[in-house]
Amino acid sequence: MALQELTYRDALRKALADAMTENPDVVILGEEVGRYGGAYGVTKDLIKEFGAERVIDTPISEPAIVGAAVGAAMTGLRPVAELMYVDFIGMTMDQLANQAAKIRYMFGGQIGVPMVLRTQGGTGRSAGAQHSQSLEAYVMHTPGLRLAMPATVADAYHLLRMALTKPDPVVFIEHKALYTMKESVDLDAEPLTWGKAAVRREGRDLVIVTYSRQLHYCLEAARTMSAQGIEATVIDLRTLNPLDFDTIRAHVERTGRAMVVSEGVMTAGVAAELSARITEECFDFLEDPVVRVTGEDIPISVSTVLETGSVPGPQLIADTALRMLAGRVPA
Amino acid sequence: MYEADLRATAGRNMAGRVGAGANTRLPELYRTMRRIRTFEERVGELFVRGQSAGSMLHLSIGEESAAAGVCANLRDGDSFTTHHRGHGIFLARGADPARMMAEIGGKEAGYCHGKGGSMHIADMGLGHLGANAIVGGGIPAVVGAGLSARHHKTGAVSVAFFGDGATGQGILYESMNMAALWHLPCVFVCINNQYGMGTNIAQATANPNLHERAAAFGLAAETVDGLDVEAVAEAAERLVEGARAGKPAFLAVSCYRFYGHARKDKSPYRDPVEEEAGRRQDPVAFARAALIDRGLESESELDRLDTEIGAEMDATIDFTVAQTEPPLASMFRDVYAPEEPEPEPVRARIDRVLARD
Ligand SMILES: Cc1ncc(C[n+]2csc(CCOP(=O)(O)OP(=O)(O)O)c2C)c(N)n1
Ligand SMILES: [Mg+2]
């Protein structure tokens, strides 16, 4: 009921703490999650509250962290494994894609793997090629894995709480540039519906479909566009699996134009999937081709100039949308 | 375990090496360590001045003897990989500190044109196959380099440098097993600074006698006290030459990470008493005292050398600040080989989509 000022980081921490209080089987395991409090401070002091048997500091052994979470989930725990950077997901891909994602199916539905893999990705800290990637496409490309990517403080809380009730493995990717973002939130408010996108802004001229940090860039771009008479709808997907295509479809049919914005690389990325699907399913309603505004098809540099230059920002988003609509909409 | 180390070294008599003779390597080892120490201090300054690319700067202060002692036994043609705390190792192998600093500043003039930074610095000319931001990520490459050396009969050795934290990675064991199985000229050097971020080695393994694992795979394996750079150099000499002759090796160098994990970490998880004791295990100060004690150098000669090195390293900052950022278009360069087409920029693709009438 009460509004509180929280950061994205606080909201995540509170989601973990509340889930741990409610369910004694929730355990956290990962590197530096306990005494250190998490590389980005998300699990700060949880070890004091819940003890070292539930907030488990591990050696630097990513495949075993994820694999142990799989086994724990199969035998009655509710594990939250943490990967310090999504860039390390490749090391764990066997446990994630061959084990966690397929166990229910291979074993004929006998058992699921109700685990959450929390991690963070994206650019913004000059962290270089191996600590700045947006690898959600790896996850979205793997049937059996759910995928949540919160963009707001309230979603950070609610999506994580919900992820911890889901029957199947959920990969939960935070954005490293959002941890200090503050919002006034009412966490007792009606929780969101899992798998339902949020329409963050409504406008008649085009739909921008996005998620995670790019939401904020899209909203900023939408304000710029609005000043020039172009009104955009901005959809925040919240979860990429399940994907709320109904919401996308409804707004594309209404506006006739769609742009997809993602920080990940363009080729075979999340934006490619969304664009293909909009084109296939909304073809008759589209006035223009779907445009993808994404990260470049290159690794991320440590140089800040190259780093920021290689991912979308508000200006590229607004420019692209304005060009898309130039002369087509009465201003 | 480290407490025991501390007591053992505190009781050791430095004078034990008097008479080691004129051919001692200590002056050179000291110089290398002093250059590393001073370079790392300047990296800290670069950060404070807001000139570093990011804050992921891992300083090797306190562990200079590992770099100096091992690299003193490498030759032209040998290769190596490092972890994310590898500035010192690269310097010890002959890197130009100005180009290193420029890379840490994300500048075009840096070793990797501002693409890599502190954690991805490399120079193939000096056999540096790359620093790595993935813990353990650089280890298996030395197995491949060992295969190359054997195939081409170069006599080269390849050395993987990594931290104690990397002993949690399975790939270390896969790599050591292959090296031993195939008798490859590989050396695995574990710089055991007691911590992986906030985790003490005793909190990361039930058996911190790391060399025992390597021995189990059939490698020549030792642990050496990093306080004494000559001891490190001697152990490394044995092991590197053994590796050259087909007996791969593992060397753990015990030392202490003097400061935080990265620039912004103040190590609140460490006991101040332990920290103070750890910082007394200073290989640079230890070598300096030994040089004076044994009459190999006078205090004033060493002061002069330190000042000279200070000036050399100051200049790396001035150099870096004066350098330009990489041009934006360079981001598409080197994704593929220079003779191959560069990836098409997103903007160009958008232009094509929008270029309809
Ligand atoms: C695969 C992987 N896991 C985790 C990290 C995050 N991380 C960076 S350095 C570090 C600690 C490494 O400790 P150690 O190997 O002892 O090296 P040190 O920092 O002490 O030099 C961790 C956990 C990483 N970079 N790569
Ligand atoms: Mg260490």
Side-chain angles (χ1 to χ4, degrees), chain B residues 56-79:
Chain B
M56 292 181 115
L57 304 173
H58 308 92
L59 306 185
S60 63
I61 294 178
E63 49 196 71
E64 294 89 347
S65 63
V70 174
C71 292
N73 296 288
L74 299 183
R75 321 178 180 144
D76 285 358
D78 289 346
S79 62

Side-chain angles (χ1 to χ4, degrees), chain B:
Chain B
M1 181 210 85
Y2 193 63
E3 288 306 308
D5 268 10
L6 291 184
R7 279 194 298 277
T9 47
R12 191 169 51 212
N13 179 6
M14 287 195 319
R17 283 215 177 78
V18 172
N23 62 353
T24 173
R25 292 196 277 182
L26 190 56
E28 194 47 38
L29 291 169
Y30 173 78
R31 182 170 177 276
T32 304
M33 291 200 296
R34 170 56 71 189
R35 287 181 77 238
I36 296 171
R37 172 74 52 97
T38 309
F39 179 84
E40 297 287 43
E41 287 166 357
R42 298 302 183 274
V43 171
E45 268 178 56
L46 192 76
F47 172 76
V48 171
R49 289 177 57 171
Q51 292 279 337
S52 68
S55 60
M56 292 181 115
L57 304 173
H58 308 92
L59 306 185
S60 63
I61 294 178
E63 49 196 71
E64 294 89 347
S65 63
V70 174
C71 292
N73 296 288
L74 299 183
R75 321 178 180 144
D76 285 358
D78 289 346
S79 62
F80 63 104
T81 61
T82 81
H83 57 338
H84 54 281
R85 202 179 298 283
H87 301 160
I89 300 157
F90 191 21
L91 265 179
R93 277 305 286 146
D96 170 358
R99 285 181 68 201
M100 282 183 72
M101 196 63 87
E103 186 59 36
I104 295 165
K107 297 297 178 69
E108 169 74 359
Y111 268 103
C112 309
H113 310 296
K115 289 206 167 98
S118 165
M119 295 198 291
H120 303 296
I121 209 157
D123 181 37
M124 301 309 134
L126 291 173
H128 191 349
L129 303 181
N132 221 296
I134 301 296
V135 169
I139 295 172
V142 304
V143 174
L147 286 171
S148 278
R150 190 175 72 180
H151 184 82
H152 293 120
K153 301 189 172 34
T154 59
V157 163
S158 193
V159 184
F161 291 91
F162 49 90
D164 45 290
T167 63
Q169 293 288 359
I171 203 157
L172 169 63
Y173 306 100
E174 299 176 20
S175 302
M176 292 199 298
N177 185 49
M178 285 183 183
L181 181 66
W182 299 330
H183 310 288
L184 296 177
C186 301
V187 182
F188 301 86
V189 176
C190 177
I191 303 179
N192 182 3
N193 61 11
Q194 315 302 315
Y195 282 87
M197 291 186 72
T199 302
N200 186 279
I201 182 71
Q203 296 159 330
T205 175
N207 178 5
N209 298 318
L210 303 175
H211 65 271
E212 289 176 7
R213 304 176 190 187
F217 285 103
L219 285 86
E222 296 185 29
T223 292
V224 65
D225 183 355
L227 177 64
D228 182 353
V229 69
E230 287 177 291
V232 177
E234 280 161 23
E237 183 171 17
R238 272 194 302 280
L239 297 176
V240 168
E241 287 322 306
R244 244 184 250 292
K247 175 79 178 172
F250 174 95
L251 177 64
V253 181
S254 301
C255 48
Y256 192 79
R257 194 191 73 205
F258 277 22
Y259 301 105
H261 168 68
R263 265 304 296 182
K264 284 179 168 165
D265 173 28
K266 303 265 183 292
S267 312
Y269 43 82
R270 299 207 295 203
D271 172 7
V273 178
E274 176 209 286
E275 242 182 21
E276 212 186 295
R279 288 188 194 145
R280 274 200 300 274
Q281 299 304 104
D282 183 338
V284 180
F286 188 85
R288 199 177 206 276
L291 284 170
I292 295 167
D293 256 35
R294 288 195 238 156
L296 291 167
E297 307 266 5
S298 72
E299 189 143 16
S300 61
E301 280 167 334
L302 290 173
D303 287 347
R304 199 160 44 242
L305 176 66
D306 292 358
T307 309
E308 214 172 85
I309 291 172
E312 179 198 8
M313 298 307 171
D314 281 342
T316 67
I317 296 205
D318 300 336
F319 175 78
T320 298
V321 171
Q323 295 307 307
T324 54
E325 306 283 351
L328 201 54
S330 74
M331 76 168 90
F332 300 103
R333 196 192 299 150
D334 295 327
V335 180
Y336 303 103
E339 66 273 22
E340 299 286 329
E342 289 182 349
E344 189 178 25
V346 164
R347 281 173 178 75
R349 292 163 74 164
I350 293 172
D351 284 349
R352 238 191 353 265
V353 177
L354 295 179
R356 298 153 298 124
D357 37 22

Side-chain angles (χ1 to χ4, degrees), chain A residues 31-32 35-36 39-40 57-63 84-85 87-88 91 125-131 266-267 287-306 309-310 316 320 323-324 328, chain B residues 53-56 103 106 113-120 132-135 165-166 168-169 196-200 203-204 261 264-265 269 325-328 330-332 335-336 343-347 349-351 353-354 356-357:
Chain A
E31 295 155 18
E32 306 298 330
R35 286 175 301 268
Y36 196 93
Y40 284 87
D57 278 318
T58 67
I60 309 173
S61 308
E62 285 79 5
M84 207 180 276
Y85 286 77
D87 309 68
F88 313 155
M91 311 175 84
R125 293 203 64 225
S126 230
Q130 298 174 341
H131 280 61
M266 182 178 266
T267 299
E287 306 277 348
D288 286 301
V290 180
V291 179
R292 284 178 287 164
V293 179
T294 66
E296 301 286 354
D297 282 333
I298 62 173
I300 306 293
S301 289
V302 80
S303 145
T304 27
V305 176
L306 303 189
S310 63
L316 179 63
T320 305
R323 285 172 61 198
M324 199 171 165
R328 280 157 217 272
Chain B
S55 60
M56 292 181 115
E103 186 59 36
H113 310 296
K115 289 206 167 98
S118 165
M119 295 198 291
H120 303 296
N132 221 296
I134 301 296
V135 169
Q169 293 288 359
M197 291 186 72
T199 302
N200 186 279
Q203 296 159 330
H261 168 68
K264 284 179 168 165
D265 173 28
Y269 43 82
E325 306 283 351
L328 201 54
S330 74
M331 76 168 90
F332 300 103
V335 180
Y336 303 103
E344 189 178 25
V346 164
R347 281 173 178 75
R349 292 163 74 164
I350 293 172
D351 284 349
V353 177
L354 295 179
R356 298 153 298 124
D357 37 22

Side-chain angles (χ1 to χ4, degrees), chain A residues 48-123:
Chain A
K48 288 190 192 144
E49 216 167 311
F50 299 101
E53 287 193 5
R54 292 183 69 196
V55 183
I56 304 168
D57 278 318
T58 67
I60 309 173
S61 308
E62 285 79 5
I65 294 168
V66 176
V70 171
M74 291 173 75
T75 52
L77 290 179
R78 247 290 171 193
V80 183
E82 180 177 315
L83 268 187
M84 207 180 276
Y85 286 77
V86 75
D87 309 68
F88 313 155
I89 204 168
M91 311 175 84
T92 72
M93 219 51 193
D94 174 63
Q95 291 304 319
L96 200 58
N98 285 326
Q99 316 304 332
K102 295 182 175 58
I103 278 170
R104 183 187 293 282
Y105 190 82
M106 291 188 301
F107 301 156
Q110 290 180 62
I111 196 166
V113 182
M115 63 175 277
V116 172
L117 179 61
R118 272 191 54 243
T119 186
Q120 58 79 29
T123 56

